[in-house]
Amino acid sequence: MPILDLYEHGDHRKNLAHFATLASLAAIDGEINPKEKAILEKFAFKLNITEAEIKEVMKKENKYPIETPHSGEKRYKRLFEFFQIIFSDHDIEEGERKMVERYAIGLGFSPKKATEIIDKSIKIFTGRIPFEDYYELVKREV
């Protein structure tokens, strides 16, 4: 039974699916190197993934494809949820950023668009957006 089947719904299932996708991305070149493993361990902590779940996800026979939503809005929602998780510790490291870029490409964004979205998202989540962008976002919501 795949580990994702253990969770019918909810935030933990979503977090586990994100983690499984990242693990698959890290292993895409055949082996997970020590740097990738360290990044995955950080993500596991942020996503509240247990040791048993990590071991299950990391089995070679468990490869989880990225479910690419057809809707552009749903793709952005997946990235938004993921950034909420990443910035739970108010920081993003270079390795995490590279993993997120691979995730965005896996969701169907072009490499160039993925980089642009990641750059903007980091500015938004770290609070370093220019006033013009802030003003536009606030104005739009009112």
Side-chain angles (χ1 to χ4, degrees), residues 55 75 102 128:
K55 286 180 183 174
R75 289 179 188 171
R102 288 160 79 182
R128 296 186 306 224

Side-chain angles (χ1 to χ4, degrees), residues 88-129:
S88 63
D89 66 355
H90 310 290
D91 190 30
I92 184 170
E93 295 176 6
E94 187 57 34
E96 290 176 321
R97 181 197 164 94
K98 287 180 183 175
M99 191 76 74
V100 173
E101 285 180 3
R102 288 160 79 182
Y103 186 64
I105 292 167
L107 285 173
F109 294 104
S110 71
K112 181 181 178 193
K113 184 71 173 172
T115 300
E116 290 172 4
I117 293 168
I118 304 301
D119 289 344
K120 286 180 182 179
S121 297
I122 289 171
K123 287 178 183 176
I124 291 168
F125 277 87
T126 57
R128 296 186 306 224
I129 62 172

Side-chain angles (χ1 to χ4, degrees), residues 70-101:
H70 295 292
S71 158
E73 183 177 343
K74 287 183 181 177
R75 289 179 188 171
Y76 281 102
K77 182 152 177 62
R78 290 241 178 112
L79 278 178
F80 175 76
E81 291 168 347
F82 200 59
F83 270 103
Q84 286 179 310
I85 294 161
I86 291 170
F87 280 97
S88 63
D89 66 355
H90 310 290
D91 190 30
I92 184 170
E93 295 176 6
E94 187 57 34
E96 290 176 321
R97 181 197 164 94
K98 287 180 183 175
M99 191 76 74
V100 173
E101 285 180 3

Side-chain angles (χ1 to χ4, degrees), residues 18-29 31-44 46-47 58 66 79 82-83 86 92-107 114 118 122:
H18 281 307
F19 181 77
T21 300
L22 289 174
S24 293
L25 285 171
I28 207 156
D29 55 0
E31 189 96 15
I32 296 176
N33 66 43
K35 279 185 177 181
E36 290 170 326
K37 187 174 182 348
I39 291 166
L40 286 172
E41 288 171 358
K42 281 186 164 193
F43 276 120
K46 289 179 181 184
L47 296 167
M58 300 305 273
I66 298 176
L79 278 178
F82 200 59
F83 270 103
I86 291 170
I92 184 170
E93 295 176 6
E94 187 57 34
E96 290 176 321
R97 181 197 164 94
K98 287 180 183 175
M99 191 76 74
V100 173
E101 285 180 3
R102 288 160 79 182
Y103 186 64
I105 292 167
L107 285 173
I118 304 301
I122 289 171

